[in-house]
Amino acid sequence: MPLIVISGFPASGKTKRALELKSHFEKRGKKVHHISENKAIPKAGFHKNVYFGDSQKEKMVRSDLKSEALRLLDKESVVILDAGNYIKGYRYELFCATKAARSTQCTLFCGIQNERAWEFNLLRNGEETEDLANIEDVSLLDNSNVPYSKEIFNGLCMRFEEPHGNCRWDSPLFVSFPDDELEFESIFSALFESKPLPPNQSTQNPPLSTTNYVFELDRLTQEIVGDILAARKIGILGPIPIKNSQVKVEIPGNMTAIQLNRLRRQFLNYSKLHHATTSSLDKIPQLFVQFLNSNCGSSR
């Protein structure tokens, strides 16, 4: 169920930390999903440096990464999102989504100085950027071994919005530098020994649209009127039980279909004007029955 959002400069050791976390949680009997930006970029058909140089390509793959992370969230698994995640608004979107899913989340910031990150980048043994265009199947590339160009590296560092522990969408925040040991126990405790934040209004699923609500309201009331007429047809003259209503219909035995439908239209009009009090479709059968019982005399 928990989500670990990894964030950091290019070549700051994000994938190394992701694999360490994956190994640790698997040893503790947890199922782990490692979602890697290095795999998503070639899978989308892009070369690494071409991808980061095009904001539209970035936006598309970021959306795919978020969708995959949220699809894999469940009560049994740990999801590790291994990517730069350098936009605070994007991290906020992930926070809202995990909050809506009643999940826990933490952020791991791979801290590093720009100069040292560039040194690590130069140690990568991938093909030079100019040679990548000659590779026919881009999806076969291992982007973790492909170095960033100087222009792309500087651009990513400049655009990076550092996580802060005082921001609720980055909290709890764990910071790890290249020579540090990961705080495995603290991360485990934050994910599995704390309660998920309750969802708020902004993270709730929207209610039924007006069109769907009116359609369902009309269908339910038609079914109830049909049940009443069918009961009268077979000779039931007393109170009539209605599905999903604790109250029985108690109306005169001589009430006609025309009179019942007139009351039904009155109830529909009332419900449209007072949507807030009748917005739960589960309550409609009992509300309609109560409406019939209290208004049947006026229809005579």
Side-chain angles (χ1 to χ4, degrees):
M1 191 174 183
L3 173 65
I4 302 175
V5 178
I6 298 182
S7 181
F9 280 171
S12 59
K14 298 185 294 295
T15 297
K16 175 185 174 183
R17 296 306 192 186
L19 294 176
E20 289 176 356
L21 287 167
K22 183 175 184 292
S23 175
H24 175 79
F25 280 108
E26 286 179 339
K27 288 178 181 177
R28 300 187 70 157
K30 303 296 182 182
K31 183 178 180 181
V32 181
H33 299 288
H34 176 206
I35 303 173
S36 172
E37 184 179 62
N38 286 324
K39 296 178 181 177
I41 294 171
K43 184 178 179 181
F46 304 131
H47 298 290
K48 185 175 185 175
N49 287 285
V50 174
Y51 163 78
F52 282 112
D54 189 321
S55 61
Q56 292 303 313
K57 291 183 175 66
E58 272 198 84
K59 185 176 180 180
M60 182 177 71
V61 174
R62 274 201 307 269
S63 178
D64 291 342
L65 289 169
K66 183 176 75 171
S67 297
E68 185 176 2
L70 300 182
R71 179 179 60 83
L72 293 172
L73 280 178
D74 59 44
K75 295 181 179 180
E76 307 297 330
S77 308
V78 177
V79 179
I80 302 174
L81 183 54
D82 171 16
N85 297 317
Y86 64 88
I87 302 173
K88 63 182 178 181
Y90 180 69
R91 296 197 300 270
Y92 177 72
E93 290 176 7
L94 291 168
F95 166 79
C96 289
T98 55
K99 191 175 180 182
R102 306 290 179 94
S103 178
T104 55
Q105 176 181 324
C106 73
T107 304
L108 174 62
F109 173 44
C110 297
I112 194 172
Q113 294 180 329
N114 292 37
E115 296 79 8
R116 193 174 185 190
W118 178 246
E119 291 174 3
F120 286 158
N121 179 62
L122 294 178
L123 294 176
R124 289 175 166 169
N125 57 6
E127 300 87 344
E128 292 298 327
T129 305
E130 292 79 4
D131 297 331
L132 294 178
N134 298 322
I135 299 178
E136 294 183 2
D137 191 351
V138 181
S139 64
L140 297 177
L141 283 175
D142 180 4
N143 266 336
S144 61
N145 289 323
V146 176
Y148 295 92
S149 68
K150 186 63 175 178
E151 180 184 3
I152 294 299
F153 179 88
N154 289 339
L156 287 173
C157 291
M158 183 180 65
R159 300 198 298 269
F160 188 82
E161 296 175 327
E162 184 175 322
H164 292 282
N166 58 351
C167 296
R168 65 186 186 278
W169 54 88
D170 291 328
S171 180
L173 175 66
F174 299 91
V175 180
S176 177
F177 288 90
D179 299 323
D180 294 343
E181 290 289 331
L182 279 180
E183 302 176 58
F184 291 113
E185 291 305 319
S186 296
I187 293 173
F188 184 92
S189 176
L191 295 176
F192 290 99
E193 297 175 8
S194 62
K195 293 182 179 180
L197 292 172
N200 52 29
Q201 187 174 3
S202 65
T203 62
Q204 292 299 290
N205 291 325
L208 286 171
S209 67
T210 303
T211 303
N212 287 340
Y213 174 77
V214 172
F215 174 82
E216 291 297 323
L217 182 67
D218 184 68
R219 181 184 63 80
L220 287 170
T221 53
Q222 278 189 17
E223 288 180 356
I224 292 172
V225 169
D227 291 342
I228 295 171
L229 294 174
R232 290 288 186 256
K233 189 174 182 179
I234 61 175
I236 300 176
L237 301 178
I240 303 169
I242 297 297
K243 182 181 178 182
N244 296 326
S245 173
Q246 297 177 356
V247 181
K248 295 181 179 181
V249 174
E250 298 185 33
I251 59 176
N254 60 352
M255 182 165 284
T256 66
I258 294 175
Q259 292 171 318
L260 280 172
N261 279 304
R262 185 183 299 124
L263 287 174
R264 189 177 77 86
R265 286 192 296 272
Q266 291 176 10
F267 179 78
L268 293 177
N269 291 332
Y270 172 85
S271 298
K272 293 172 188 177
L273 293 173
H274 301 82
H275 192 188
T277 59
T278 60
S279 58
S280 176
L281 291 172
D282 293 338
K283 299 178 181 178
I284 292 300
Q286 182 152 321
L287 289 173
F288 184 43
V289 168
Q290 292 172 341
F291 181 86
L292 290 175
N293 290 344
S294 62
N295 291 276
C296 63
S298 63
S299 64
R300 290 185 233 176

